Amino acid sequence: MSQLATSAVVPIVKPSVAYVPVDPTTAQRWLNENKVNRSLRVAKVNQFANDMAAGRWSLSNDAICFAPDGTLLNGQHRLHAIVKSGVTITMLTIRNMPPESMKSMDIGTSRTAADALGFAGEKSAHLLAASGKLAIVYSDGRIYKDSKAQAVSPTEIQEFVDAHPLIRHSVSFVAGVKSKIDAAPSVLAAAHWIISEAAGAPVADHYLHQLAYRTGEPAGSAVLAVDSRLRQLRHKRSQYAQRAYLALLIKGWNYYARDGRITSLQISTSAKIPDPRSWQR
């Protein structure tokens, strides 16, 4: 009679699921159990923390998971954000998850701001998301900081669009002229919105229309100077930050609005974006 080989049976512990209010102290305690995880992305922590502090964070089906021994398997960015923001956030938690399940966590494609705007029925969602982000970091001064400080969440962009509906018109207008101007569409839409806020949408429409077609512009026109500089930058394949292009467009606008004549305009990496109302002074 042969003996059948036997193997040890590993008991399966049923996962427990709960919504838990997580304060900064609890979040830090859980982080102390973070033995193996991805490298921390500071920009993502800042983005989450900003949403939490501003009350934009909402319940999600993306749970914070723990192994049977209490090891944290995922959620470190959200927990660091709770610590940074100093607020209490209700989180979905799952305990007693198999440690090997960590391999399949967070491997899906994250929903982008464009996805969120598209779900909300917005037109030109990708351009609206990009220009909305640029308008936000311009408005609160983050545009002069490093890229980590410029992290903006999809919720923040949606909130901004709802609070500043004029940017929808900026995006719609730029969508019709973007192929005729040598600048990123998101920069053009943000510049259009900035000018619209300062002087009205019809004025911004006219400025970008002239920049696109240059019809009837006399020698020395600021529109021609902006167009010339943008063409030179494209020809030389020069690389400048978005804020440098935005500064060039707004500088040109100020000259154009006061009917100032200028034959050339410079672009600078260190230049501050001019006040779009300075032409009135």
Side-chain angles (χ1 to χ4, degrees), residues 113-114 117 122-140 142-143 150-172 185-194 242 246:
L117 291 169
E122 299 284 358
K123 297 179 180 179
S124 302
H126 285 86
L127 179 54
L128 184 58
S131 55
K133 175 185 177 180
L134 189 53
I136 289 170
V137 297
Y138 162 80
S139 298
D140 63 16
R142 275 187 279 170
I143 198 167
Q150 292 182 25
V152 178
S153 72
T155 307
E156 188 175 1
I157 293 174
Q158 180 68 69
E159 186 177 271
F160 180 87
V161 170
D162 291 340
H164 302 85
L166 191 56
I167 198 167
R168 294 187 177 99
H169 171 70
S170 296
V171 167
S172 176
S186 58
V187 175
L188 293 173
H192 184 285
W193 176 77
I194 292 169
Q242 287 182 316
L246 200 54

Side-chain angles (χ1 to χ4, degrees), residues 24-235:
T25 300
T26 301
Q28 187 58 63
R29 176 163 51 83
W30 288 355
L31 284 168
N32 293 339
E33 299 299 324
N34 184 15
K35 299 176 182 179
V36 180
N37 219 312
R38 294 179 294 175
S39 298
L40 193 70
R41 291 174 289 170
V42 176
K44 183 61 67 176
V45 172
N46 290 340
Q47 175 185 313
F48 288 170
N50 288 339
D51 276 350
M52 291 174 180
R56 289 189 293 265
W57 194 266
S58 57
L59 288 176
S60 168
N61 66 335
D62 189 9
I64 294 179
C65 301
F66 301 86
D69 65 355
T71 298
L72 180 69
L73 299 179
N74 77 331
Q76 64 165 340
H77 288 86
R78 284 167 285 169
L79 295 176
H80 275 287
I82 290 175
V83 174
K84 182 178 178 66
S85 66
V87 299
T88 298
I89 300 292
T90 297
M91 291 284 182
L92 178 64
T93 63
I94 302 179
R95 292 188 176 274
N96 299 323
M97 288 286 289
E100 59 270 18
S101 66
M102 188 177 183
K103 297 177 183 178
S104 60
M105 292 180 182
D106 302 322
I107 61 174
T109 302
S110 299
R111 289 182 177 178
T112 64
D115 291 333
L117 291 169
F119 295 151
E122 299 284 358
K123 297 179 180 179
S124 302
H126 285 86
L127 179 54
L128 184 58
S131 55
K133 175 185 177 180
L134 189 53
I136 289 170
V137 297
Y138 162 80
S139 298
D140 63 16
R142 275 187 279 170
I143 198 167
Y144 302 110
K145 299 180 181 179
D146 62 33
S147 59
K148 292 181 180 179
Q150 292 182 25
V152 178
S153 72
T155 307
E156 188 175 1
I157 293 174
Q158 180 68 69
E159 186 177 271
F160 180 87
V161 170
D162 291 340
H164 302 85
L166 191 56
I167 198 167
R168 294 187 177 99
H169 171 70
S170 296
V171 167
S172 176
F173 185 86
V174 165
V177 300
K178 63 183 181 180
S179 64
K180 301 181 182 300
I181 305 174
D182 286 316
S186 58
V187 175
L188 293 173
H192 184 285
W193 176 77
I194 292 169
I195 296 168
S196 295
E197 288 285 299
V203 175
D205 288 353
H206 178 73
Y207 174 57
L208 262 70
H209 178 275
Q210 290 305 103
L211 189 56
Y213 298 99
R214 302 171 296 285
T215 306
E217 289 297 324
S221 164
V223 159
L224 297 181
V226 173
D227 175 67
S228 176
R229 177 57 64 192
L230 291 174
R231 289 174 184 273
Q232 289 174 8
L233 294 171
R234 177 177 61 82
H235 179 72

Side-chain angles (χ1 to χ4, degrees), residues 232-252:
Q232 289 174 8
L233 294 171
R234 177 177 61 82
H235 179 72
K236 294 179 180 179
R237 298 183 180 180
S238 302
Q239 298 294 322
Y240 285 90
Q242 287 182 316
R243 67 169 178 253
Y245 282 92
L246 200 54
L248 176 65
L249 289 164
I250 301 302
K251 184 191 296 184

